[in-house]
């Protein structure tokens, strides 16, 4: 069975500092990995995806993610955090059968001024 | 750019009532997914449709049914509502391709409260 795990329920970062939100995956075969962000009472917004190719994927709002096959990780990163980045972040893997997304538990990111 | 539209945005129902949630995918998207997100939970897949045919089924109760219409909009019908059905229901759409590489675009969700 395919799954992703986000080991941290909450990440706290000071504005201007780099941020990392962790995600590890367990899949058979090549993974299709995604990051989504959810603001309060809003839908999920697509940030970036890894399908194949370069291990460093760049996405929206200055976010990037590094795919590491040996560590089965797909951590989300940003060089300089903004207060407006505070939100709930979900890592997800695409099910190779029906195409549904399988989400991690979510990580609450809090960026303080 | 056009996004996924869901209606209604909020719905309050009593136990044992029925509810119908609607989803209008992004134009030209041919695949629709339904997810349920309980309070403090991650979204859980319910059901999906491709070209008006059910393509996958997840943890959807037998009390729920869904379909996709000729204009590609989809409806999730929920009967005999229970308190535990209170959740945020998301619809997502994508353009299906052979490699399943496309990201899914989510609507704003319908918040269902069962009292």
């Amino acid at each position: 069975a395919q799954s992703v795990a986000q080991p941290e329920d909450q990440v706290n970062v000071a504005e201007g500092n780099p941020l990392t939100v962790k995600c590890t995956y367990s899949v058979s075969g090549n993974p299709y990995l995604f990051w989504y962000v959810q603001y309060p009472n809003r839908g999920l917004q697509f940030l970036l995806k890894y399908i194949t190719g370069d291990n460093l994927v760049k996405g929206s709002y200055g976010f990037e993610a590094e795919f590491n096959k040996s560590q089965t990780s797909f951590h989300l990163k940003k060089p300089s955090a903004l207060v407006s980045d505070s939100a709930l972040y979900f890592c997800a893997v695409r099910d190779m059968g029906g195409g549904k997304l399988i989400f991690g538990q979510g990580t609450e990111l809090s960026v303080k001024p | 750019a056009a996004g996924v539209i869901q209606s209604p945005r909020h719905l309050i129902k009593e136990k044992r009532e029925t509810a119908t949630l609607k989803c209008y995918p992004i134009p030209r998207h041919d695949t629709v997914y339904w997810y349920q997100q309980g309070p403090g939970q991650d979204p859980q897949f319910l059901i999906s449709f491709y070209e008006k045919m059910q393509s996958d089924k997840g943890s959807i109760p037998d009390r729920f049914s869904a379909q996709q219409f000729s204009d590609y909009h989809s409806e999730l019908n929920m009967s005999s509502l229970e308190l535990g059905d209170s959740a945020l229901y998301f619809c997502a759409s994508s353009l299906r391709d052979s490699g399943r590489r496309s990201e899914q675009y989510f609507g704003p969700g319908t918040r269902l409260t069962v009292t």
Side-chain angles (χ1 to χ4, degrees):
Chain A
Q2 300 175 98
S3 65
V4 290
Q6 295 176 242
E8 300 159 317
D9 290 334
Q10 183 153 11
V11 170
N12 298 307
V13 177
E15 187 176 31
N17 283 0
L19 70 87
T20 298
V21 183
K22 295 180 181 178
C23 173
T24 58
Y25 66 89
S26 175
V27 304
S28 53
N30 295 321
Y32 289 177
L33 296 162
F34 300 80
W35 275 102
Y36 283 83
V37 59
Q38 185 176 28
Y39 295 96
N41 300 312
R42 302 278 293 278
L44 290 91
Q45 296 179 34
F46 168 74
L47 282 178
L48 51 78
K49 66 181 177 183
Y50 173 81
I51 303 300
T52 187
D54 290 339
N55 290 341
L56 186 62
V57 179
K58 293 191 182 296
S60 307
Y61 312 119
F63 283 93
E64 57 190 28
E66 186 171 9
F67 173 73
N68 188 316
K69 189 172 183 178
S70 62
Q71 297 185 5
T72 62
S73 66
F74 188 55
H75 300 332
L76 182 70
K77 300 181 179 183
K78 187 173 183 180
S80 179
L82 300 172
V83 173
S84 57
D85 292 330
S86 299
L88 186 58
Y89 290 80
F90 287 100
C91 179
V93 64
R94 191 75 175 264
D95 176 70
M96 303 308 282
K100 63 180 178 284
L101 290 174
I102 300 166
F103 289 89
Q105 307 93 310
T107 298
E108 187 78 43
L109 173 66
S110 177
V111 182
K112 300 292 187 188
Chain B
V4 176
I5 297 171
Q6 290 188 248
S7 67
R9 293 293 307 278
H10 301 274
L11 193 57
I12 299 175
K13 291 285 185 178
E14 294 186 356
K15 283 194 304 184
R16 294 180 290 278
E17 285 191 320
T18 61
T20 297
L21 279 54
K22 296 184 179 182
C23 168
Y24 297 86
I26 291 172
R28 292 188 299 280
H29 279 193
D30 51 18
T31 307
V32 167
Y33 302 83
W34 285 96
Y35 294 87
Q36 177 192 57
Q37 185 180 29
Q41 305 288 316
D42 55 288
Q44 294 290 316
F45 171 73
L46 292 177
I47 195 167
S48 63
F49 293 88
Y50 167 65
E51 286 290 344
K52 293 150 278 184
M53 298 289 289
Q54 181 181 307
S55 57
D56 196 7
K57 195 171 182 180
S59 50
I60 183 169
D62 292 340
R63 300 177 288 108
F64 294 7
S65 65
Q67 57 183 323
Q68 186 179 31
F69 295 85
S70 57
D71 64 351
Y72 292 98
H73 95 272
S74 179
E75 295 184 3
L76 178 65
N77 299 293
M78 310 160 73
S79 63
S80 302
L81 287 169
E82 302 174 355
L83 295 178
D85 296 330
S86 296
L88 197 53
Y89 290 83
F90 288 112
C91 170
S93 74
S94 72
L95 192 59
R96 179 175 166 134
D97 60 57
S98 59
R100 308 224 188 276
R101 298 162 183 247
S102 299
E103 56 271 25
Q104 295 177 20
Y105 291 90
F106 283 75
T110 294
R111 184 169 296 282
L112 172 67
T113 302
V114 181
T115 62

